[in-house]
């Protein structure tokens, strides 16, 4: 019996080439540690990425890896899963790669529910191409291509995933391994496409853009770690989310003697798309950032249905020599 | 090519009197006098078995003396001739079924044939319009048939639009069977026809047999209680019955086929269709009428002993991919996005699940290509398929597969272009795209299919190259090949060598050693071992960044990039070490003229060269399967001919390639009308370009 694998066993001999201080380092460490925690088999694990800073990820993971082309990682991963459904396949993408050039593929891999983990590193900027605004950048983002501030409305990755029909949607923060690692484990355990948006700090081009909720000093006040069957409480239980039945929206309420009772706080049901919708589209101002497994509602995974639909699990049961004779065959005797 | 296209357009002769109007029951008017007006070809006629044999364009007919040389009694198509029949009607008239069943009966009669369906571009064009006309053409004879035929000798036109659209295609003197029930003012208006063509003299150059097919069908079907519209639907079976009689064919196989086809329908549907079939047959047979509807006798074509079936290019290509999977003992994962004219391959493969084939319909062309590459990475045979515009979208991904040294088969069913172009028309204009159409220096092997049956072998060969050399391979076919059909001698799977892949190395703990082993390319093919995720102890990373030639690690080193670029070029060049020498299909290995083709021009070139040789011209035929790399002996071989004619359905792409690679001088014959070459077009080019000196020599 070999010694148990450690996080180090999932590292490669390649020099990591992200900018010092980039949030990607923390995510890499967290993924390596998580895989060690679950004693994943590197031979059965594959990381597939597109193009961008985040997409360098596979080179640093001691597993099989494929650094593909811009935006298309989900499609390669789908083909790979069809060829070998046993593999544990992770897609690593970013907000530009996944939501802009690859938006179509992300949409379809989610609705098909291919059994993969999709980690979307959202830094609200194009890093590798030197700092242009991305589809998740907030209006007014100043960048080399938007010197006067960007004007297009940003996309919510989570709401996009839900709209696309994703069955597993979770969120985490790059440097918060304590909360991110369980999310990654849950994503790995889920049979189907698990979509994890990771808020990642691009220290060079969009430094601290998530500071309002990731800053440790105020994290308790600004982060809501959701859990299935538990009330949506934050700020050490001093605040909670309450459903306003008239607006069908969430309201922040104080919990305690002078405020609402805990029973008024909405209880999270991760199988409800309506609750997921509310949580994924909470306004930024005055609300906490929901993190953790926001939506988990299993459905048949595509790779399984695919082979079920192909009969015999894709095994060759017929012979081409016989197939040639399907239809009308006639014999010719030359004179 | 305009001149060629119009070569057989009949010129209406206003001096010829119009036919009489007859009562409905007697609407059979046979323009007997026109037989004698027929274009006299060859020696112009001969005595045959006591009858005068008159050549009417493409076929010969026997005219009985007893009827004053006017009434055809039965026409024997001589062994060196063929006859072209075209069925045309509205998209809803069941013309394709009519045609394919006639082809089936031709197969059983032992004649050779080639068919081509001509679908309207619109899915459901308004009934009766010219753009809603669907047609099916078959060329058949007791000789080798290589194309669906230049100009029809027989046309069955089920409505005025079908007559209008197809009339310009016909051989002068052709026989036309029209459904007179459809010839009314309403249908003339729909087809934009100003006056009844039967009265304008437009048909004077042809023999027209007018039959009230719809009336006849309704009569026959009446006892079976079908609704009027359902009953009318049976008229293709009525026409089929008449045609079967004309060609002396048995109805039994059609009855058997219909019994299976309509098994799930209410019984009156089968009964109605069979009644129509029999009625059409009886109608044609009736003594009175048989004098007017000619009968053709076509002998068996000489073909090697064996089992045959009729097959389209799309079907053969699909079976070929399945066969490649079997020979390689790997799954075939075919990833595609619907596009005309490539979709039939997706449809056929979707029904071959028992053959280790899986089909994935992706969200777009790019996804289809990438999923196929992902499947190849995973150890299955990844195949993607499209037509020019879709291939354009796949380009970046193809470059990645090349860079990552993964096998991939890319099937391009070429169509008319550029841009969206002519989706339902055929062309061979994506050769540049296949050979050069990627960013940077990214050479790939390119091979082409020559005809429907050949698609089977070509698909196996493309897969073999992809796996041996670990590279994407382009397999070029086209819209004509995809839909054309003909008899195909069933191959014996024992004749094919297994497809072997480069063996993966043993598990390696040392990371550097492992990487070196994974990128340790076979010295002769330069293909690397096919290492797939899941294999023990062989984890590695690939990608589109330039990689170190030995370890596969990302490398920005100048010398390494030079070495890798050269390696990629050498790898494609190495394919030439594994392919057969180019052969000469017909004629001598040197001489005054050779016709060089590739792809679907094969059939037309074969017949043209064959005919030219029969006329005494020393012409040879060379047909290329391998376009990149070219066979090693090709330059030397082409150097043995004084003139090289290169017919292509593009503006000269292969000609440019050959000039570039071999420095040869070529005479281009380019056709980009969306239509395949006619035999006459190639034959004319041969005669025009045949050197006068060589003619004298041949005469001596
Ligand atoms: S540019 Fe930004 S995202 Fe990219 S490596 Fe540097 S810090 Fe990280």
């Amino acid at each position: 019996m070999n010694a148990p694998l450690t996080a180090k066993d999932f590292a490669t001999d390649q020099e990591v080439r992200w900018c010092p201080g980039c949030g990607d380092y923390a995510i890499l460490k967290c993924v390596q540690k998580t895989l060690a925690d679950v004693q994943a088999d590197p031979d059965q694990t594959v990381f597939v990425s597109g193009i961008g800073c985040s997409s360098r990820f596979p080179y640093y993971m001691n597993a099989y890896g494929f650094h593909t082309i811009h935006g298309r990682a989900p499609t390669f991963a789908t083909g790979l899963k069809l060829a070998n459904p046993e593999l544990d396949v992770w897609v690593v993408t970013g907000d530009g790669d996944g939501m802009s050039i690859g938006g179509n593929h992300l949409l379809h891999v989610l609705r098909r529910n291919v059994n993969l983990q999709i980690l979307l590193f959202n830094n609200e900027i194009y890093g590798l191409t030197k700092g242009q605004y991305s589809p998740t950048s907030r209006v007014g983002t100043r960048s080399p291509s938007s010197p006067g501030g960007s004007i297009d409305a940003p996309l919510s990755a989570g709401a996009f995933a839900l709209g696309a029909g994703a069955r597993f949607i979770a969120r985490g923060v790059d440097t918060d391994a304590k909360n991110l690692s369980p999310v990654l484990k849950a994503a790995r355990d889920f049979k189907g496409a698990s979509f994890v948006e990771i808020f990642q700090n691009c220290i060079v081009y969009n430094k601290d853009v998530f500071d309002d909720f990731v800053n440790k000093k105020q994290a308790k006040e600004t982060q809501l770690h959701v859990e299935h069957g538990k009330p949506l409480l934050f700020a050490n239980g001093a605040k909670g989310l309450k459903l306003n039945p008239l607006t069908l929206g969430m309201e922040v309420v104080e919990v305690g003697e002078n405020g609402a009772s805990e029973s008024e706080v909405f209880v999270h049901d991760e199988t409800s798309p309506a609750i997921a919708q509310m949580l994924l589209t909470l306004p930024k101002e005055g609300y906490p950032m929901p993190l953790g497994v926001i939506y988990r509602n299993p459905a048949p995974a595509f790779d399984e249905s695919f082979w079920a639909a192909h009969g015999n699990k894709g095994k060759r049961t017929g012979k081409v020599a016989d197939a040639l004779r399907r239809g009308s065959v006639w014999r010719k005797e030359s004179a | 090519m305009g001149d060629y296209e119009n070569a057989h357009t009949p010129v209406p002769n206003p001096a010829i009197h119009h036919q009489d109007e007859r009562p409905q029951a007697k609407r059979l008017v046979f323009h007997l006098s026109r037989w004698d007006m027929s274009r006299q070809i060859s020696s112009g006629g001969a005595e045959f078995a006591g009858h005068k044999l008159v050549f009417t364009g493409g076929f010969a007919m026997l005219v009985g003396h007893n009827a004053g040389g006017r009434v055809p009694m039965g026409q024997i198509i001589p062994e060196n001739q063929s006859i072209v029949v075209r069925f045309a009607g509205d998209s809803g008239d069941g013309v394709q079924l009519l045609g394919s069943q006639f082809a089936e009966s031709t197969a059983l009669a032992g004649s050779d044939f080639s068919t081509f369906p001509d679908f309207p571009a619109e899915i459901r064009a308004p009934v009766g319009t010219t753009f809603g006309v669907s047609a099916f053409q078959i060329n058949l004879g007791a000789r080798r048939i290589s194309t669906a035929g230049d100009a029809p000798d027989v046309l069955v036109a089920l409505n005025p639009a079908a007559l209008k659209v197809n009339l310009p295609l016909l051989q002068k003197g052709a026989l036309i069977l029209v459904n007179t029930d459809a010839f009314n003012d309403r249908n003339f208006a729909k087809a934009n026809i100003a006056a009844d063509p039967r009265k304008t003299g437009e048909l004077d150059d042809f023999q027209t047999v007018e039959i009230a097919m719809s009336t006849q069908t309704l009569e026959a079907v009446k006892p079976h209680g079908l609704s009027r519209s359902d009953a009318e639907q049976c008229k293709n079976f009525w026409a089929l019955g008449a045609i079967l009689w004309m060609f002396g064919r048995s109805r039994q196989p059609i009855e058997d086929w219909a019994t299976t086809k309509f098994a799930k329908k209410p019984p009156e549907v089968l009964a109605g269709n069979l009644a129509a079939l029999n009625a059409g047959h009886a109608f044609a047979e009736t003594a009175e009428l048989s004098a007017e509807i000619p009968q053709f006798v076509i002998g068996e074509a000489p073909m090697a002993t064996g089992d045959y079936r009729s097959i389209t290019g799309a079907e053969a290509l699909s079976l070929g991919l399945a066969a490649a999977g079997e020979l390689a003992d790997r799954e075939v994962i075919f990833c595609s996005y619907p596009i005309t004219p490539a979709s039939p391959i997706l449809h056929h493969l979707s029904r071959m699940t028992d053959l280790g084939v899986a089909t994935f319909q992706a969200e777009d062309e790019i996804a289809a290509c990438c999923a196929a590459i992902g499947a190849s990475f995973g150890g299955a045979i990844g195949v993607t398929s499209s037509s020019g515009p879709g291939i354009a979208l796949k380009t970046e991904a193809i470059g990645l597969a090349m860079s990552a040294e993964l096998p991939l088969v890319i099937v391009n069913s070429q169509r008319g272009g550029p841009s969206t172009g002519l989706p339902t028309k055929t062309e061979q204009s994506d050769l540049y795209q296949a050979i050069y159409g990627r960013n940077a220096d990214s050479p790939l092997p390119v091979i082409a299919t020559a005809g429907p049956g050949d698609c089977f072998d070509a698909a196996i060969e493309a897969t073999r190259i992809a796996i041996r050399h670990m590279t994407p391979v382009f397999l070029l076919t086209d819209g004509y090949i995809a839909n054309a059909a003909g008899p195909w001698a069933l191959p014996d799977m024992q004749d094919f060598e297994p497809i072997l892949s480069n063996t993966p190395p043993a598990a390696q703990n040392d990371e550097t050693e492992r990487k070196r082993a994974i990128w340790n390319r076979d010295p002769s093919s330069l293909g690397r071992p096919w290492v797939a995720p899941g294999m023990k102890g062989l984890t590695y990373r690939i990608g589109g960044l330039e990689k170190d030639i030995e370890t596969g690690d990302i490398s920005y080193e100048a010398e390494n990039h030079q070495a890798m670029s050269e390696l990629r070029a050498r790898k494609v060049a190495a394919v030439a070490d594994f392919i057969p020498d180019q052969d000469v299909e017909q004629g001598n290995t040197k001489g005054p003229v050779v016709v060089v083709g590739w792809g679907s021009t094969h059939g037309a070139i074969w017949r043209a060269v064959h005919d030219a040789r029969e006329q005494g011209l020393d012409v040879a035929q060379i047909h290329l399967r391998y376009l990149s790399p070219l066979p090693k002996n090709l330059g030397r071989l082409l150097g043995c001919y004084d003139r090289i004619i290169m017919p292509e359905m593009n503006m000269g792409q292969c000609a440019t390639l050959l000039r570039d690679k071999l420095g040869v001088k070529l005479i281009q014959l380019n056709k980009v009308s969306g239509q395949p070459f006619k035999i006459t077009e190639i034959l004319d080019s041969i005669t025009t370009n045949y050197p006068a000196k060589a003619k004298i020599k041949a005469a001596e």
Side-chain angles (χ1 to χ4, degrees), chain A residues 17-24 53-54 123 125 127-128 200-205:
Chain A
R17 296 251 194 131
W18 289 309
C19 307
C22 173
D24 290 354
C53 291
S54 58
N123 56 16
I125 209 79
L128 195 67
Q200 176 248 327
N201 191 19
C202 170
I203 199 157
V204 175
Y205 295 111

Side-chain angles (χ1 to χ4, degrees), chain B residues 386-388 391 410-414 430 433 474-478:
Chain B
S386 189
S387 189
I391 300 291
I410 309 138
V411 184
N412 182 349
S413 300
Q414 300 166 95
D430 295 341
Q433 186 190 38
F474 264 100
L475 174 55
L476 298 179
T477 175
D478 64 34

Side-chain angles (χ1 to χ4, degrees), chain B residues 79-220:
Chain B
E79 274 166 29
N80 62 351
Q81 298 284 337
S82 70
I83 179 167
V84 181
V85 183
R86 192 168 172 96
F87 305 95
D90 211 65
S91 329
D93 283 342
V95 168
Q96 301 301 329
L97 181 146
L98 165 55
S100 55
Q101 285 309 304
F102 179 62
E104 188 76 33
S105 87
T106 302
L108 294 176
S111 312
D112 198 1
F113 65 92
S114 173
T115 67
F116 189 69
D118 194 353
F119 305 109
E122 279 69 20
I123 302 300
R124 281 272 184 273
V127 177
T129 55
T130 49
F131 48 94
V133 172
S134 173
F136 183 98
Q137 187 164 312
I138 177 168
N139 184 9
L140 61 153
R143 66 168 187 183
R144 174 168 163 179
I145 300 296
S146 64
T147 74
D150 282 7
D153 302 296
V154 178
L155 171 71
V156 179
L158 296 178
N159 70 5
L163 181 64
K164 181 182 173 180
V165 170
N166 290 293
L167 205 52
L169 309 176
L170 301 187
Q171 185 71 266
K172 234 184 206 181
L175 172 71
I176 305 174
L177 287 98
V178 293
N179 174 20
T180 52
D181 288 324
F183 278 64
N184 52 44
D185 290 341
R186 237 181 78 221
N187 283 339
F188 293 151
K190 281 183 194 161
N192 254 325
I193 294 172
D196 189 337
R198 296 170 300 174
K199 297 181 184 162
T200 56
E202 285 167 75
L203 305 182
D204 288 351
D205 283 345
F206 308 100
Q207 348 298 323
T208 310
V209 181
E210 298 185 29
I211 311 168
M213 290 184 205
S214 306
T215 310
Q216 294 280 347
T217 305
L218 289 176
E219 272 304 281

Side-chain angles (χ1 to χ4, degrees), chain B residues 297-370:
Chain B
V297 182
I298 296 176
E300 290 200 24
M303 289 189 231
T305 296
D307 289 341
Y308 287 79
R309 65 175 283 192
S310 173
I311 199 153
T312 64
E315 270 176 293
L317 203 147
S318 306
L319 282 166
L321 289 172
E326 190 176 278
L327 292 168
D329 194 21
R330 286 180 192 259
E331 265 161 14
V332 174
I333 299 189
F334 181 88
C335 308
S336 187
Y337 182 76
I339 185 170
T340 303
S343 301
I345 301 174
L346 171 63
H347 304 165
H348 288 302
L349 284 168
S350 297
R351 295 170 171 278
M352 295 184 187
T353 51
D354 62 324
L355 302 179
V357 175
T359 54
F360 171 58
Q361 183 178 311
E363 59 268 28
D364 62 27
E365 296 284 1
I366 298 172
C369 188
C370 298

